[in-house]
Amino acid sequence: VSIAKKYGAKTITIPRRDFDHGKTRNTAAMKAGGEVLVFMTQDALPYDNTLLTRLTAPLKDNEIAAAYGRHIPRHDASLAEKFARQFKSIIPVLLDNTVDSIKHDQQAGRDCIEAMGDLIENQPKLLKDYINNFLDVLTQVMEVKTFEEGLRKSAITAIVVMCSKNALSVRKSDIFVTKTLPALMRMLTEINTKDFKEWENDLNEEIASKNDISGSTQDAIANINSSLGVKYLLPQCVKYIQELISSNEWQYKQAGLMAISVLIEGASKHFTAELDGLMGLISTMLNETNPVLIWSILTCIAILCSEYSPVIQQKYHAPIMNFTLTHMKHSSLKIRYRAISSIINFSQSLNENEEDSMILKQYSQPLLNNVQELMNEGVSNNLYVLLEEVLRSLSTIAVVLEDTF
């Protein structure tokens, strides 16, 4: 300040506690005069004596309102500082080369994208100005079905890392909302149907294999939801989920249900009103006969019961219990097992007061009959996994029903 005053500069002094990068600059701008306003920090040293001439030259064009100069590291700057400033200029070239590599050699393209993922993870600040560029390229790669799975998965992984390391920039990205999210939703439909027999015979097996694109995408959305927050992500996805569930293709309906299952964790803290919309979507599918969809509906109901309890039981007990009781008698053991698991989620929080416990009591007779049949089945066929779930359900039901049990 003393040096500035010595040379006749107008100075404004503020308390250190009041300093803010944006606010302080705005204060200075409001008190400045003249036709051109130049911002500089006290530690920025002009490279040569042409700085102001070159910086203000573009302003001669009436279409241009602002200009800025690039940052060059000092000769004594650390290696990290030099790298960050010098490397930034070749990022567009890196993206172009990645695209060219993919066109000619998918394995080389995959290597480039994996290296890109490492760069995103280790130098997130360096890349924040290029978030849209990276997202655009990675989104295009991951949704091309003719590309090798490994290449597509490497693009998915890079996007997950980007969301983790540059969450704020991704939230502000129009490319993420308009291209990346809808692409991820479509990729949930890429379910490998070859293993359905194996899936049906394994009570604990999920629908989407972790090895296929659908399963990888489901995991990716869960991680992105954790990084960006359900408060941001769920509203962005609702319209895409509605489109999927409204489709006539079961794979699309299934993808919509998968998205709900992944995205609603923690949603009740921010979106109590969203429950009606989510249940409205699920209610349109309660007459489905496809076992995969039935299993997924039961899964969604179970998660919703845990997330929105006891409101969901109070408002929607009739469609939930009717659907669940019906499918406790389904021909598929896989469905029967999932139905008894849903009963556990439905019942767990209904023992907190008498009014809520009455919800379950009105279904007690058919419910206990179904549980008894499943227990008999488990004992007769040595189905220990089923027996374990039946016993868990009985324990939960007994606490709620008390004397009527």
Side-chain angles (χ1 to χ4, degrees):
V1 174
S2 60
I3 295 174
K5 286 181 176 180
K6 177 181 176 182
Y7 287 93
K10 180 181 179 181
T11 61
I12 303 166
T13 304
I14 62 170
R16 182 183 294 273
R17 65 177 179 276
D18 292 341
F19 175 78
D20 175 84
H21 287 285
K23 181 180 177 182
T24 303
R25 284 170 172 76
N26 287 339
T27 300
M30 291 174 66
K31 295 182 180 295
E35 295 183 2
V36 177
L37 179 63
V38 177
F39 284 109
M40 288 189 66
T41 57
Q42 80 285 355
D43 60 345
L45 182 68
Y47 184 74
D48 57 32
N49 59 8
T50 66
L51 168 67
L52 290 178
T53 302
R54 298 172 69 180
L55 184 62
T56 59
L59 301 180
K60 294 176 182 178
D61 185 337
N62 292 331
E63 297 295 315
I64 297 176
Y68 69 96
R70 70 188 182 99
H71 294 177
I72 299 173
R74 297 172 183 269
H75 66 86
D76 59 347
S78 69
L79 183 62
E81 289 175 314
K82 288 180 179 179
F83 175 81
R85 284 163 177 78
Q86 293 172 347
F87 187 79
K88 221 174 172 182
S89 61
I90 70 166
I91 288 177
V93 179
L94 170 67
L95 289 169
D96 289 341
N97 287 343
T98 298
V99 173
D100 288 339
S101 296
I102 293 168
K103 290 177 180 177
H104 298 99
D105 184 344
Q106 289 190 33
Q107 181 56 52
R110 179 179 177 179
D111 292 340
C112 285
I113 287 180
E114 288 176 353
M116 194 185 296
D118 291 339
L119 187 61
I120 293 168
E121 184 165 13
N122 295 310
Q123 294 289 338
K125 292 182 179 179
L126 177 66
L127 307 180
K128 67 178 183 179
D129 293 336
Y130 297 92
I131 291 295
N132 272 348
N133 307 71
F134 274 93
L135 283 172
D136 196 22
V137 170
L138 293 170
T139 299
Q140 290 182 57
V141 172
M142 74 179 186
E143 68 174 341
V144 178
K145 294 183 180 180
T146 55
F147 283 166
E148 296 173 358
E149 276 197 7
L151 173 59
R152 298 177 70 194
K153 288 178 180 178
S154 66
I156 295 172
T157 300
I159 288 175
V160 170
V161 173
M162 185 176 296
C163 291
S164 171
K165 297 295 183 177
N166 291 94
L168 183 60
S169 298
V170 173
R171 288 194 200 101
K172 294 178 179 179
S173 168
D174 56 327
I175 295 293
F176 181 76
V177 174
T178 60
K179 291 187 177 181
T180 307
L181 271 183
L184 287 168
M185 291 294 161
R186 288 191 295 270
M187 290 162 66
L188 286 174
T189 68
E190 297 182 44
I191 301 169
N192 185 350
T193 58
K194 294 179 181 178
D195 302 325
F196 270 4
K197 195 64 181 176
E198 181 180 339
W199 166 80
E200 195 168 9
N201 291 331
D202 186 342
L203 297 186
N204 290 314
E205 183 68 25
E206 300 290 335
I207 288 173
S209 167
K210 301 303 178 185
N211 297 320
D212 65 21
I213 290 295
S214 179
S216 298
T217 303
Q218 187 176 5
D219 286 345
I221 293 173
N223 288 325
I224 291 171
N225 192 39
S226 176
S227 297
L228 303 186
V230 66
K231 189 175 182 180
Y232 164 81
L233 198 60
L234 182 58
Q236 305 291 350
C237 293
V238 166
K239 65 178 179 180
Y240 302 125
I241 293 172
Q242 289 172 334
E243 290 171 4
L244 290 169
I245 288 179
S246 300
S247 170
N248 292 324
E249 301 291 331
W250 74 264
Q251 291 94 335
Y252 284 76
K253 293 177 183 290
Q254 164 64 20
L257 291 166
M258 288 170 67
I260 292 174
S261 298
V262 169
L263 290 168
I264 58 177
E265 184 176 353
S268 61
K269 297 176 183 177
H270 309 287
F271 301 109
T272 303
E274 292 293 325
L275 175 60
D276 293 335
L278 293 171
M279 280 304 299
L281 289 172
I282 292 173
S283 295
T284 64
M285 295 188 289
L286 294 183
N287 292 322
E288 291 286 349
T289 57
N290 184 312
V292 173
L293 292 180
I294 294 170
W295 185 91
S296 297
I297 292 167
L298 288 166
T299 300
C300 274
I301 287 174
I303 297 172
L304 283 167
C305 284
S306 295
E307 188 66 34
Y308 285 95
S309 181
V311 177
I312 187 170
Q313 290 92 335
Q314 293 166 351
K315 294 182 69 173
Y316 297 102
H317 61 85
I320 289 175
M321 286 303 295
N322 289 334
F323 182 81
T324 307
L325 288 170
T326 297
H327 293 294
M328 287 177 76
K329 293 178 171 291
H330 194 276
S331 59
S332 168
L333 175 59
K334 180 96 173 183
I335 303 299
R336 299 196 296 277
Y337 178 78
R338 179 57 74 183
I340 195 69
S341 298
S342 297
I343 288 294
I344 296 171
N345 290 66
F346 182 90
S347 307
Q348 274 179 336
S349 66
L350 295 182
N351 61 340
E352 295 180 5
N353 61 66
E354 181 65 23
E355 184 179 346
D356 288 343
S357 67
M358 289 300 297
I359 294 172
L360 190 64
K361 287 179 181 179
Q362 61 187 297
Y363 302 100
S364 60
Q365 197 56 56
L367 175 59
L368 291 174
N369 288 341
N370 286 354
V371 172
Q372 181 66 55
E373 289 180 14
L374 288 172
M375 175 174 280
N376 293 339
E377 179 182 7
V379 172
S380 300
N381 298 293
N382 296 323
L383 298 172
Y384 299 114
V385 176
L386 176 62
L387 277 173
E388 181 180 352
E389 204 71 352
V390 168
L391 291 172
R392 284 184 63 218
S393 71
L394 281 173
S395 174
T396 306
I397 294 167
V399 172
V400 179
L401 297 183
E402 295 180 332
D403 54 316
T404 57
F405 182 77

